[in-house]
Every structure is written in C-alpha cells, then in structure tokens.
Amino acid sequence: MELRHLRHFVALAEELNFTRAAARELIVQSGLSSSVRALEREVGAQLFVRGIRPVRLTAEGLALLPAARHTLEAAAAAQQAVHDVRGLLTGSLRIGTYPVDMRLLPLPVWLADFSRAHPGLEITVKQAGGLTMARMVAGGELDCSLLDPLPGKVPGLRVLPLATETLVVACPAGHPLTSERDVTLERLSREPFIETDPSWTTRTRIDSAFAAAGLSRRITCEVADWTLLMNLVGAGLGVALVPPSCARAAGTDSPGGGPVALLPLAAEPLVREIALVLPAGQASSPAARRFAAYTQSKVTGRAA
C-alpha cells in the first residue's frame, strides 16, 4: 500500500470533489482517479460512491479514513525524526481557532514568528465552532486548535491553558439593566437574547448555566460573528453574554444602532477558557508538539 495512494484517498475524502482534491494534490484529475482505484484494488473494496455530487464515502471508506490519516501522520513523524537530528521542522501544521482578540492572545504574531523560525513548515489555519474543532483534532483533521475546552468534551486530547476571561452582559446603553444594582441570570431570562451558533463552546457554557439554574430564555437571533452580535444588541434586538475581548474587538459602538453597555454578571461568574488542544502523547504531530512548547513559553513570558 503506497503512501501517495493514501494521501490521495484522504484528499478526496475531505474535499468530496475530484477536481478540488486533484488541485490540492497538484496532480491531474485522471491521475487522482487512478490512484484511488489502485488503493481500492489493494484493499479489495470500493471506497467511494461515484456518479453523485458530492462524492460520498462508502462504509469501507469511512472505516479506512481514520487509519489512513494516522498512517500518514506516522510517516510524517518518521521523516521528522530524521530532520530533528539536523534541527529542522518540516511538513505541515494545521491549526484551528476561533476569533481571539490580539490583546488577549496574539495568535497571528505567534504564528508569524513560528513560521519564520521554521521556514520548511507549511502552516494552515481553519476557523470553526469549538466543539467541531475538538472533533477535528481528535479525528486527525487538525493538528491542534485554540478553543474553550469544555469538561468532558475533549477526551484523549492534551489541554494546555493559555488564558481565561469572565463573560459580561452586553445591552443597549439606555437599557433598564444599566441602572440595576445586580444583573442576575434570573433577570436576564426575562430579556430577548442574541446568541452565537450552538456549536460554539461559549454558547454551550451559557446554555448550561441557565439550565443549571432551572431557567429558560427566549433566543431571538443566532449568529456566527461577534461584530454582528454586538450590532444587533446595539440596535435593541436583545441582550447577550459575551467575552470582553470579543466585545472590544467588535466595538461597543454599533453603526446600525446605538452604543452598547457592558455590565458584570452578579453572583457566580461565567468563565470561558482558551487553551491549545492537541492529541495526547506521541499521537500528536511533531509540529503540534513544537508549537505547543512555543505557546507555553510565550504565555509564561507574558505572565512574568
């Protein structure tokens, strides 16, 4: 079984399109098709359902995909072991993240510095919801990710804390909440809510807090962008619980509405964490382990 056949299989399994997969692997489409058919002959099973759009994996293809990814990662690790002797880091680093304010964690600066220190490394960045990215790291689609590691949601992953922040209440500047002494979850449950997508870990933390308090709330809008969320709050469509860094990055002056006030939540604080997660032990790639050590040194330096 040739590694290139496995690589072409994984590319098609992830792109679900022959044209895109061939372009990703820098080969012609017929070459990709021949490579996949050679692998199918090798394993004795059809791996894709062809003739439909998008292309779909068969049950055998779904079973092979995790093992194929791990085989390619093991081959990359073996090659890296040789490069380590020469002090080189090559291959790729596929990192996931969600929007993080530069003042909280300067991820773009870190990635740029890390790239300059390892010019033989190809770095790619993907944005998605925290729960989605945790599954992608566990499944080998990402090498590591910045996310909020909810308890029990990242089994088998190594979690390296980087920062924490306490959620605050966002409401229009003239809202009655701004004149109240204590803003509680019970009080907020009487207001219409602007929320993020259910796949976001911040949303999961908020949902869990209301459920634990035996409270329900009316969600009027669900968005996947902090700037839009803040604009909707400023326009008076509802209130929200937001990370301060995301509120600052989005701005508290809404062009489509009025200014937004940020208020502390009374009683038990709601805290979101930001951590780098990667597969535990040797299951992680050399690039992910090196980047993890780099981020830890940066966090230690910021705290000093």
Side-chain angles (χ1 to χ4, degrees), residues 7-8 11-12 15-33 122:
R7 193 174 65 249
H8 296 160
L12 182 56
E15 300 294 340
L16 298 179
N17 179 282
F18 276 93
T19 301
R20 290 197 301 269
R24 167 172 151 178
E25 291 299 308
L26 302 178
I27 61 174
V28 297
Q29 187 170 326
S30 59
L32 178 77
S33 181
E122 180 183 354

PDB file of all heavy atoms in Angstrom, residues 7-8 11-12 15-33 122:
ATOM      1  N   ARG A   7      -2.624   9.261   0.626  1.00  0.00           N
ATOM      2  CA  ARG A   7      -2.730  10.725   0.644  1.00  0.00           C
ATOM      3  C   ARG A   7      -3.807  11.198  -0.316  1.00  0.00           C
ATOM      4  O   ARG A   7      -4.595  12.101   0.004  1.00  0.00           O
ATOM      5  CB  ARG A   7      -1.381  11.339   0.285  1.00  0.00           C
ATOM      6  CG  ARG A   7      -1.281  12.840   0.569  1.00  0.00           C
ATOM      7  CD  ARG A   7       0.102  13.387   0.331  1.00  0.00           C
ATOM      8  NE  ARG A   7       0.477  13.309  -1.073  1.00  0.00           N
ATOM      9  CZ  ARG A   7       1.413  12.500  -1.556  1.00  0.00           C
ATOM     10  NH1 ARG A   7       2.064  11.684  -0.740  1.00  0.00           N
ATOM     11  NH2 ARG A   7       1.696  12.479  -2.846  1.00  0.00           N
ATOM     12  N   HIS A   8      -3.868  10.598  -1.495  1.00  0.00           N
ATOM     13  CA  HIS A   8      -4.893  10.974  -2.473  1.00  0.00           C
ATOM     14  C   HIS A   8      -6.283  10.584  -1.979  1.00  0.00           C
ATOM     15  O   HIS A   8      -7.255  11.319  -2.173  1.00  0.00           O
ATOM     16  CB  HIS A   8      -4.606  10.298  -3.819  1.00  0.00           C
ATOM     17  CG  HIS A   8      -3.312  10.747  -4.433  1.00  0.00           C
ATOM     18  ND1 HIS A   8      -2.652  10.026  -5.402  1.00  0.00           N
ATOM     19  CD2 HIS A   8      -2.559  11.853  -4.195  1.00  0.00           C
ATOM     20  CE1 HIS A   8      -1.544  10.671  -5.753  1.00  0.00           C
ATOM     21  NE2 HIS A   8      -1.481  11.772  -5.028  1.00  0.00           N
ATOM     22  N   ALA A  11      -7.328  13.140   0.630  1.00  0.00           N
ATOM     23  CA  ALA A  11      -7.677  14.406  -0.018  1.00  0.00           C
ATOM     24  C   ALA A  11      -9.084  14.343  -0.611  1.00  0.00           C
ATOM     25  O   ALA A  11      -9.892  15.270  -0.431  1.00  0.00           O
ATOM     26  CB  ALA A  11      -6.660  14.734  -1.109  1.00  0.00           C
ATOM     27  N   LEU A  12      -9.406  13.247  -1.276  1.00  0.00           N
ATOM     28  CA  LEU A  12     -10.741  13.119  -1.876  1.00  0.00           C
ATOM     29  C   LEU A  12     -11.800  12.959  -0.786  1.00  0.00           C
ATOM     30  O   LEU A  12     -12.913  13.503  -0.894  1.00  0.00           O
ATOM     31  CB  LEU A  12     -10.773  11.936  -2.833  1.00  0.00           C
ATOM     32  CG  LEU A  12     -12.092  11.702  -3.587  1.00  0.00           C
ATOM     33  CD1 LEU A  12     -12.506  12.942  -4.367  1.00  0.00           C
ATOM     34  CD2 LEU A  12     -11.973  10.504  -4.529  1.00  0.00           C
ATOM     35  N   GLU A  15     -12.279  16.568   0.556  1.00  0.00           N
ATOM     36  CA  GLU A  15     -12.821  17.539  -0.405  1.00  0.00           C
ATOM     37  C   GLU A  15     -14.147  17.083  -1.005  1.00  0.00           C
ATOM     38  O   GLU A  15     -14.977  17.920  -1.396  1.00  0.00           O
ATOM     39  CB  GLU A  15     -11.810  17.778  -1.540  1.00  0.00           C
ATOM     40  CG  GLU A  15     -10.463  18.331  -1.098  1.00  0.00           C
ATOM     41  CD  GLU A  15     -10.560  19.727  -0.537  1.00  0.00           C
ATOM     42  OE1 GLU A  15     -11.555  20.422  -0.818  1.00  0.00           O
ATOM     43  OE2 GLU A  15      -9.641  20.132   0.201  1.00  0.00           O
ATOM     44  N   LEU A  16     -14.331  15.745  -1.103  1.00  0.00           N
ATOM     45  CA  LEU A  16     -15.544  15.153  -1.715  1.00  0.00           C
ATOM     46  C   LEU A  16     -15.796  15.699  -3.119  1.00  0.00           C
ATOM     47  O   LEU A  16     -16.933  15.843  -3.556  1.00  0.00           O
ATOM     48  CB  LEU A  16     -16.772  15.383  -0.818  1.00  0.00           C
ATOM     49  CG  LEU A  16     -16.697  14.731   0.574  1.00  0.00           C
ATOM     50  CD1 LEU A  16     -17.953  15.048   1.370  1.00  0.00           C
ATOM     51  CD2 LEU A  16     -16.496  13.225   0.447  1.00  0.00           C
ATOM     52  N   ASN A  17     -14.695  15.986  -3.804  1.00  0.00           N
ATOM     53  CA  ASN A  17     -14.775  16.523  -5.158  1.00  0.00           C
ATOM     54  C   ASN A  17     -13.452  16.209  -5.854  1.00  0.00           C
ATOM     55  O   ASN A  17     -12.378  16.570  -5.338  1.00  0.00           O
ATOM     56  CB  ASN A  17     -15.021  18.036  -5.112  1.00  0.00           C
ATOM     57  CG  ASN A  17     -15.092  18.654  -6.491  1.00  0.00           C
ATOM     58  OD1 ASN A  17     -14.068  18.881  -7.126  1.00  0.00           O
ATOM     59  ND2 ASN A  17     -16.298  18.947  -6.943  1.00  0.00           N
ATOM     60  N   PHE A  18     -13.505  15.506  -7.000  1.00  0.00           N
ATOM     61  CA  PHE A  18     -12.274  15.093  -7.677  1.00  0.00           C
ATOM     62  C   PHE A  18     -11.437  16.284  -8.133  1.00  0.00           C
ATOM     63  O   PHE A  18     -10.214  16.274  -8.030  1.00  0.00           O
ATOM     64  CB  PHE A  18     -12.628  14.196  -8.882  1.00  0.00           C
ATOM     65  CG  PHE A  18     -12.845  12.762  -8.527  1.00  0.00           C
ATOM     66  CD1 PHE A  18     -14.118  12.289  -8.245  1.00  0.00           C
ATOM     67  CD2 PHE A  18     -11.789  11.877  -8.466  1.00  0.00           C
ATOM     68  CE1 PHE A  18     -14.324  10.958  -7.910  1.00  0.00           C
ATOM     69  CE2 PHE A  18     -11.982  10.540  -8.129  1.00  0.00           C
ATOM     70  CZ  PHE A  18     -13.257  10.083  -7.847  1.00  0.00           C
ATOM     71  N   THR A  19     -12.102  17.319  -8.646  1.00  0.00           N
ATOM     72  CA  THR A  19     -11.361  18.483  -9.151  1.00  0.00           C
ATOM     73  C   THR A  19     -10.591  19.171  -8.033  1.00  0.00           C
ATOM     74  O   THR A  19      -9.402  19.482  -8.166  1.00  0.00           O
ATOM     75  CB  THR A  19     -12.319  19.478  -9.820  1.00  0.00           C
ATOM     76  OG1 THR A  19     -13.011  18.823 -10.898  1.00  0.00           O
ATOM     77  CG2 THR A  19     -11.557  20.669 -10.379  1.00  0.00           C
ATOM     78  N   ARG A  20     -11.269  19.440  -6.906  1.00  0.00           N
ATOM     79  CA  ARG A  20     -10.608  20.110  -5.781  1.00  0.00           C
ATOM     80  C   ARG A  20      -9.507  19.239  -5.173  1.00  0.00           C
ATOM     81  O   ARG A  20      -8.437  19.737  -4.812  1.00  0.00           O
ATOM     82  CB  ARG A  20     -11.632  20.483  -4.711  1.00  0.00           C
ATOM     83  CG  ARG A  20     -12.577  21.615  -5.124  1.00  0.00           C
ATOM     84  CD  ARG A  20     -13.263  22.210  -3.890  1.00  0.00           C
ATOM     85  NE  ARG A  20     -14.027  21.204  -3.147  1.00  0.00           N
ATOM     86  CZ  ARG A  20     -15.307  20.937  -3.353  1.00  0.00           C
ATOM     87  NH1 ARG A  20     -15.978  21.581  -4.304  1.00  0.00           N
ATOM     88  NH2 ARG A  20     -15.936  20.021  -2.623  1.00  0.00           N
ATOM     89  N   ALA A  21      -9.779  17.939  -5.048  1.00  0.00           N
ATOM     90  CA  ALA A  21      -8.782  17.049  -4.466  1.00  0.00           C
ATOM     91  C   ALA A  21      -7.544  16.960  -5.358  1.00  0.00           C
ATOM     92  O   ALA A  21      -6.408  16.949  -4.858  1.00  0.00           O
ATOM     93  CB  ALA A  21      -9.375  15.666  -4.246  1.00  0.00           C
ATOM     94  N   ALA A  22      -7.751  16.902  -6.663  1.00  0.00           N
ATOM     95  CA  ALA A  22      -6.612  16.842  -7.581  1.00  0.00           C
ATOM     96  C   ALA A  22      -5.793  18.128  -7.515  1.00  0.00           C
ATOM     97  O   ALA A  22      -4.554  18.094  -7.507  1.00  0.00           O
ATOM     98  CB  ALA A  22      -7.109  16.591  -9.006  1.00  0.00           C
ATOM     99  N   ALA A  23      -6.475  19.271  -7.463  1.00  0.00           N
ATOM    100  CA  ALA A  23      -5.772  20.548  -7.357  1.00  0.00           C
ATOM    101  C   ALA A  23      -4.988  20.630  -6.057  1.00  0.00           C
ATOM    102  O   ALA A  23      -3.855  21.121  -6.017  1.00  0.00           O
ATOM    103  CB  ALA A  23      -6.766  21.697  -7.449  1.00  0.00           C
ATOM    104  N   ARG A  24      -5.576  20.128  -4.980  1.00  0.00           N
ATOM    105  CA  ARG A  24      -4.887  20.122  -3.675  1.00  0.00           C
ATOM    106  C   ARG A  24      -3.626  19.278  -3.716  1.00  0.00           C
ATOM    107  O   ARG A  24      -2.604  19.635  -3.118  1.00  0.00           O
ATOM    108  CB  ARG A  24      -5.859  19.596  -2.615  1.00  0.00           C
ATOM    109  CG  ARG A  24      -5.245  19.237  -1.279  1.00  0.00           C
ATOM    110  CD  ARG A  24      -6.339  18.924  -0.284  1.00  0.00           C
ATOM    111  NE  ARG A  24      -5.923  17.982   0.735  1.00  0.00           N
ATOM    112  CZ  ARG A  24      -6.675  17.580   1.740  1.00  0.00           C
ATOM    113  NH1 ARG A  24      -7.916  18.036   1.856  1.00  0.00           N
ATOM    114  NH2 ARG A  24      -6.224  16.725   2.636  1.00  0.00           N
ATOM    115  N   GLU A  25      -3.671  18.152  -4.437  1.00  0.00           N
ATOM    116  CA  GLU A  25      -2.520  17.249  -4.510  1.00  0.00           C
ATOM    117  C   GLU A  25      -1.592  17.558  -5.682  1.00  0.00           C
ATOM    118  O   GLU A  25      -0.594  16.868  -5.889  1.00  0.00           O
ATOM    119  CB  GLU A  25      -3.010  15.804  -4.610  1.00  0.00           C
ATOM    120  CG  GLU A  25      -3.670  15.292  -3.339  1.00  0.00           C
ATOM    121  CD  GLU A  25      -2.723  15.317  -2.160  1.00  0.00           C
ATOM    122  OE1 GLU A  25      -1.611  14.776  -2.277  1.00  0.00           O
ATOM    123  OE2 GLU A  25      -3.097  15.894  -1.110  1.00  0.00           O
ATOM    124  N   LEU A  26      -1.937  18.597  -6.439  1.00  0.00           N
ATOM    125  CA  LEU A  26      -1.107  19.045  -7.567  1.00  0.00           C
ATOM    126  C   LEU A  26      -0.916  17.946  -8.612  1.00  0.00           C
ATOM    127  O   LEU A  26       0.175  17.726  -9.140  1.00  0.00           O
ATOM    128  CB  LEU A  26       0.261  19.536  -7.067  1.00  0.00           C
ATOM    129  CG  LEU A  26       0.232  20.689  -6.045  1.00  0.00           C
ATOM    130  CD1 LEU A  26       1.634  21.053  -5.602  1.00  0.00           C
ATOM    131  CD2 LEU A  26      -0.475  21.901  -6.627  1.00  0.00           C
ATOM    132  N   ILE A  27      -1.996  17.217  -8.898  1.00  0.00           N
ATOM    133  CA  ILE A  27      -1.972  16.227  -9.965  1.00  0.00           C
ATOM    134  C   ILE A  27      -3.208  16.418 -10.833  1.00  0.00           C
ATOM    135  O   ILE A  27      -4.138  17.128 -10.454  1.00  0.00           O
ATOM    136  CB  ILE A  27      -1.938  14.777  -9.407  1.00  0.00           C
ATOM    137  CG1 ILE A  27      -3.178  14.497  -8.557  1.00  0.00           C
ATOM    138  CG2 ILE A  27      -0.673  14.521  -8.609  1.00  0.00           C
ATOM    139  CD1 ILE A  27      -3.281  13.053  -8.108  1.00  0.00           C
ATOM    140  N   VAL A  28      -3.214  15.766 -11.994  1.00  0.00           N
ATOM    141  CA  VAL A  28      -4.383  15.862 -12.859  1.00  0.00           C
ATOM    142  C   VAL A  28      -5.484  14.982 -12.279  1.00  0.00           C
ATOM    143  O   VAL A  28      -5.229  14.036 -11.529  1.00  0.00           O
ATOM    144  CB  VAL A  28      -4.051  15.447 -14.305  1.00  0.00           C
ATOM    145  CG1 VAL A  28      -3.023  16.394 -14.903  1.00  0.00           C
ATOM    146  CG2 VAL A  28      -3.552  14.010 -14.355  1.00  0.00           C
ATOM    147  N   GLN A  29      -6.717  15.285 -12.675  1.00  0.00           N
ATOM    148  CA  GLN A  29      -7.857  14.571 -12.111  1.00  0.00           C
ATOM    149  C   GLN A  29      -7.813  13.084 -12.445  1.00  0.00           C
ATOM    150  O   GLN A  29      -8.140  12.238 -11.602  1.00  0.00           O
ATOM    151  CB  GLN A  29      -9.154  15.196 -12.623  1.00  0.00           C
ATOM    152  CG  GLN A  29     -10.422  14.649 -11.961  1.00  0.00           C
ATOM    153  CD  GLN A  29     -11.646  15.465 -12.317  1.00  0.00           C
ATOM    154  OE1 GLN A  29     -11.573  16.674 -12.491  1.00  0.00           O
ATOM    155  NE2 GLN A  29     -12.784  14.786 -12.458  1.00  0.00           N
ATOM    156  N   SER A  30      -7.381  12.753 -13.665  1.00  0.00           N
ATOM    157  CA  SER A  30      -7.313  11.338 -14.050  1.00  0.00           C
ATOM    158  C   SER A  30      -6.280  10.596 -13.208  1.00  0.00           C
ATOM    159  O   SER A  30      -6.457   9.417 -12.887  1.00  0.00           O
ATOM    160  CB  SER A  30      -6.964  11.215 -15.543  1.00  0.00           C
ATOM    161  OG  SER A  30      -5.704  11.844 -15.812  1.00  0.00           O
ATOM    162  N   GLY A  31      -5.186  11.292 -12.848  1.00  0.00           N
ATOM    163  CA  GLY A  31      -4.169  10.680 -12.000  1.00  0.00           C
ATOM    164  C   GLY A  31      -4.704  10.386 -10.611  1.00  0.00           C
ATOM    165  O   GLY A  31      -4.408   9.337 -10.023  1.00  0.00           O
ATOM    166  N   LEU A  32      -5.502  11.320 -10.087  1.00  0.00           N
ATOM    167  CA  LEU A  32      -6.112  11.097  -8.772  1.00  0.00           C
ATOM    168  C   LEU A  32      -7.063   9.906  -8.820  1.00  0.00           C
ATOM    169  O   LEU A  32      -7.053   9.052  -7.929  1.00  0.00           O
ATOM    170  CB  LEU A  32      -6.859  12.355  -8.330  1.00  0.00           C
ATOM    171  CG  LEU A  32      -7.588  12.223  -6.987  1.00  0.00           C
ATOM    172  CD1 LEU A  32      -6.594  12.324  -5.838  1.00  0.00           C
ATOM    173  CD2 LEU A  32      -8.662  13.288  -6.838  1.00  0.00           C
ATOM    174  N   SER A  33      -7.878   9.848  -9.868  1.00  0.00           N
ATOM    175  CA  SER A  33      -8.848   8.754 -10.010  1.00  0.00           C
ATOM    176  C   SER A  33      -8.137   7.410 -10.090  1.00  0.00           C
ATOM    177  O   SER A  33      -8.536   6.430  -9.443  1.00  0.00           O
ATOM    178  CB  SER A  33      -9.715   8.977 -11.242  1.00  0.00           C
ATOM    179  OG  SER A  33     -10.671   7.955 -11.387  1.00  0.00           O
ATOM    180  N   GLU A 122       4.706  24.221   6.493  1.00  0.00           N
ATOM    181  CA  GLU A 122       3.530  24.861   5.883  1.00  0.00           C
ATOM    182  C   GLU A 122       2.432  24.970   6.933  1.00  0.00           C
ATOM    183  O   GLU A 122       1.969  23.962   7.462  1.00  0.00           O
ATOM    184  CB  GLU A 122       3.027  24.061   4.690  1.00  0.00           C
ATOM    185  CG  GLU A 122       1.802  24.677   4.024  1.00  0.00           C
ATOM    186  CD  GLU A 122       1.266  23.841   2.879  1.00  0.00           C
ATOM    187  OE1 GLU A 122       1.915  22.839   2.523  1.00  0.00           O
ATOM    188  OE2 GLU A 122       0.185  24.186   2.369  1.00  0.00           O
TER     189      GLU A 122
END
